[in-house]
């Protein structure tokens, strides 16, 4: 494998790795929760607060505000793409209007869950190993009598059972399939293209929780044909408090008034500043997507720094990141099994092949 960005350079990019304890640098194994942050991202945040600490989104019209807006929404005259476009290109979305900024992946899931107009008898299908963020919103809707949930049980080896999944689709009126693209428990990655294809064949939409996938491999939402996907920047060397909800344009809405939308369009669950174009004491008109979902003052330094994080990952190389993780997982798995495999006091969850568990052990 050709290394374009030596590992020593990568270590030097992270200030936290210079924070020694008892004369030893940290060994950080908690990336599934929160990654360390390179100085390129830290500098983007610092630059906002020192050089143009202002509102974006058209709230203000002075020089600082225009700089913020250009860095987030882009400015062709200045040759600036902006964070929204950089993220759009990173996952190959169809348009920048399909990229909604959120607090994190959990908020994105809740936007879809609470914004979908379910009908009595609708089912939501999950896996048996979902993160609470992709479980509790659906349980709450079930307690309220709005939906029913079904679960696809994994095989003994932790691999997703496509036949069992299709059986669920055949026997229930499934409105939505919502699944972790990569499990935070086992590291196993769904055969997402096949899942989406089966779901669409039975008329269901698909939401993928990509929090543990997007930071580790190339993800192409149009190739997958997925309807919604969420992920968080704090798991991909980015700022805290910034996430992304991708949604197909037709499912995020086009009309100015919410009551004019079709049943498949999700509604914003929070309204207020920056989500409307006109209002009086009787009615209001919604902004077009994605702005209708981005209520109130946003985390502008975080949105700007998100572009720096993605640029950093691309500089290192997504293929190299995935290969490095699989190599580390294979080594650690083999060493554990060699030393302790016959003691019976521990078990590796998920598939036996470390290559199927990516960066999680």
């Amino acid at each position: 494998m050709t290394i374009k960005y030596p590992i020593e350079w990568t270590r030097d990019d992270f200030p936290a790795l210079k924070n020694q304890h008892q004369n030893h640098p940290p060994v950080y194994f908690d990336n599934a929760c929160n990654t360390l942050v390179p100085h390129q991202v830290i500098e983007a945040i610092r630059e906002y607060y020192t050089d143009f600490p202002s509102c974006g989104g058209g709230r203000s019209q002075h020089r600082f505000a225009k700089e913020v807006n250009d860095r987030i929404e882009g400015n062709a005259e200045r040759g600036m793409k902006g964070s929204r476009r950089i993220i759009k290109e990173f996952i190959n979305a169809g348009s920048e209007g399909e990229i909604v900024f959120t607090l994190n992946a959990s908020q994105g899931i809740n936007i879809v869950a609470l914004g979908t107009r379910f009908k009595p008898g609708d089912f939501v299908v999950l896996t048996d190993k979902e993160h609470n963020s992709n479980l509790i919103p659906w349980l709450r809707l079930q307690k309220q009598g709005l939906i029913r949930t079904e679960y696809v049980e994994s095989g003994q080896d932790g691999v997703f059972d496509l036949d069992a999944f299709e059986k669920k689709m055949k026997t229930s009126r499934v409105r939505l399939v919502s699944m972790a693209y990569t499990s935070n428990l086992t590291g196993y990655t769904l055969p997402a293209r096949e899942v989406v294809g089966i779901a669409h064949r039975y008329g269901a939409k698909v939401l993928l929780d990509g929090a543990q996938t997007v930071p580790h491999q190339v993800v192409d939402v149009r190739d997958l044909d997925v309807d919604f996907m969420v992920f968080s920047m704090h798991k991909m060397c980015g700022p805290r408090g910034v996430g992304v909800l991708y949604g197909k344009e037709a499912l995020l809405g086009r009309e100015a008034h919410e009551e004019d939308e079709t049943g498949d369009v999700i509604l914003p669950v929070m309204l207020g500043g920056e989500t409307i174009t006109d209002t009086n004491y009787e009615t209001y008109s919604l902004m077009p997507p994605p702005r209708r979902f981005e209520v109130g003052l946003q985390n502008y330094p975080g949105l700007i720094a998100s572009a720096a994080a993605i640029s950093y990952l691309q500089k290192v190389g997504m293929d190299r990141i995935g290969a490095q993780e699989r190599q580390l997982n294979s080594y650690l798995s083999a060493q554990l099994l060699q030393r302790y495999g016959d003691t019976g006091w521990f078990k590796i969850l998920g598939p036996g092949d470390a290559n199927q568990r990516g960066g999680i052990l």
Side-chain angles (χ1 to χ4, degrees), residues 150-162:
E150 288 278 4
Y151 303 90
V152 180
E153 294 186 6
S154 304
Q156 288 188 343
D157 57 358
V159 173
F160 186 77
D161 190 332
L162 284 169

Side-chain angles (χ1 to χ4, degrees), residues 314-350:
Q314 291 175 320
K315 182 179 180 181
V316 175
M318 297 305 296
D319 290 342
R320 181 176 179 234
I321 289 170
Q324 177 76 358
E325 291 172 340
R326 290 190 295 273
Q327 181 180 350
L328 290 172
N329 199 336
S330 296
Y331 174 80
L332 184 53
S333 298
Q335 290 294 312
L336 285 169
L337 290 170
Q338 178 182 332
R339 299 184 188 192
Y340 309 113
D342 59 352
T343 64
W345 65 268
F346 87 101
K347 176 183 178 182
I348 294 178
L349 300 178

Side-chain angles (χ1 to χ4, degrees), residues 108-118 121-127 134 137-138 141 147-150 165 168-169 172-179 195 199-200 202-208 226-229 251 264 266:
I109 293 170
N110 275 271
I111 289 173
V112 177
L114 301 177
T116 300
R117 284 165 283 182
F118 290 105
D122 283 346
F123 279 75
V124 173
V125 173
L126 315 167
T127 72
N134 195 36
W138 309 115
L141 292 178
I147 64 168
R148 293 180 63 185
T149 57
E150 288 278 4
F165 171 59
K168 296 284 186 186
M169 301 300 298
S172 303
R173 195 180 84 190
V174 180
R175 179 78 177 277
L176 183 74
V177 173
S178 186
M179 296 181 174
V195 168
H200 285 175
Y202 291 94
K205 300 294 188 292
V206 179
L207 164 63
L208 289 178
V226 67
D227 302 290
F228 303 101
M229 186 177 72
L251 301 177
D264 284 336
I266 61 171

Side-chain angles (χ1 to χ4, degrees), residues 110 113 126 130-143:
N110 275 271
L126 315 167
E130 292 302 327
H131 187 287
N132 275 337
S133 295
N134 195 36
L135 175 61
I136 306 306
W138 309 115
L139 293 183
R140 187 179 194 184
L141 292 178
Q142 182 169 255
K143 287 179 66 175

Side-chain angles (χ1 to χ4, degrees), residues 83-356:
S83 297
R84 203 182 302 269
R85 181 176 173 186
I86 288 171
I87 292 171
K88 171 251 180 190
E89 293 178 351
F90 187 62
I91 62 171
N92 195 32
S95 75
E96 292 168 46
E98 296 178 327
I99 303 299
V100 178
F101 288 123
T102 64
L103 293 173
N104 43 49
S106 301
Q107 187 192 20
I109 293 170
N110 275 271
I111 289 173
V112 177
L114 301 177
T116 300
R117 284 165 283 182
F118 290 105
K119 300 174 183 177
D122 283 346
F123 279 75
V124 173
V125 173
L126 315 167
T127 72
D128 59 351
K129 292 181 174 61
E130 292 302 327
H131 187 287
N132 275 337
S133 295
N134 195 36
L135 175 61
I136 306 306
W138 309 115
L139 293 183
R140 187 179 194 184
L141 292 178
Q142 182 169 255
K143 287 179 66 175
Q144 294 172 344
L146 298 175
I147 64 168
R148 293 180 63 185
T149 57
E150 288 278 4
Y151 303 90
V152 180
E153 294 186 6
S154 304
Q156 288 188 343
D157 57 358
V159 173
F160 186 77
D161 190 332
L162 284 169
D163 291 334
F165 171 59
E166 185 156 14
K167 186 176 180 180
K168 296 284 186 186
M169 301 300 298
K170 286 180 178 179
T171 56
S172 303
R173 195 180 84 190
V174 180
R175 179 78 177 277
L176 183 74
V177 173
S178 186
M179 296 181 174
Y181 194 167
T182 298
S183 170
N184 75 311
L185 180 66
T186 66
Y188 173 74
T189 297
L190 283 179
R193 189 180 290 104
E194 290 81 356
V195 168
V196 173
I198 292 171
H200 285 175
R201 193 155 65 241
Y202 291 94
K205 300 294 188 292
V206 179
L207 164 63
L208 289 178
D209 174 3
Q212 303 291 357
T213 313
V214 175
H216 308 285
Q217 66 183 60
V218 174
V219 174
D220 185 329
V221 292
R222 283 195 282 180
D223 180 59
L224 293 173
D225 197 26
V226 67
D227 302 290
F228 303 101
M229 186 177 72
V230 300
F231 55 98
S232 294
M233 296 306 304
H234 68 267
K235 297 181 188 293
M236 45 198 298
C237 299
R240 285 56 172 137
V242 179
V244 174
L245 163 63
Y246 159 79
K248 286 182 177 177
E249 187 177 35
L251 301 177
L252 294 182
R254 295 191 181 95
E255 304 297 331
H257 296 282
E258 64 192 75
E259 58 268 22
D260 295 334
E261 303 287 11
T262 65
D264 284 336
V265 171
I266 61 171
L267 301 180
V269 296
M270 298 178 67
L271 293 173
E274 304 307 304
T275 64
I276 48 91
T277 59
D278 187 30
T279 185
N280 56 42
Y281 286 105
E282 294 182 356
T283 188
Y284 58 90
S285 299
L286 290 172
M287 289 283 286
R291 296 281 294 282
R292 65 173 57 180
F293 298 99
E294 297 173 356
V295 63
L297 201 75
Q298 298 294 297
N299 179 4
Y300 303 119
L303 301 186
I304 292 168
S306 294
I310 287 176
S311 297
Y312 182 79
L313 293 181
Q314 291 175 320
K315 182 179 180 181
V316 175
M318 297 305 296
D319 290 342
R320 181 176 179 234
I321 289 170
Q324 177 76 358
E325 291 172 340
R326 290 190 295 273
Q327 181 180 350
L328 290 172
N329 199 336
S330 296
Y331 174 80
L332 184 53
S333 298
Q335 290 294 312
L336 285 169
L337 290 170
Q338 178 182 332
R339 299 184 188 192
Y340 309 113
D342 59 352
T343 64
W345 65 268
F346 87 101
K347 176 183 178 182
I348 294 178
L349 300 178
D353 181 2
N355 289 308
Q356 289 188 279

Side-chain angles (χ1 to χ4, degrees), residues 34-65:
N34 213 26
T35 52
L36 303 181
V37 183
H39 67 79
Q40 292 91 335
V41 174
I42 296 170
E43 174 60 21
I45 295 172
R46 184 208 61 78
E47 188 179 21
Y48 166 85
Y49 283 113
T50 58
D51 295 358
F52 41 85
S54 178
C55 293
R59 281 175 171 260
S60 304
Q61 297 302 316
H62 50 77
R63 176 168 58 89
F64 285 179

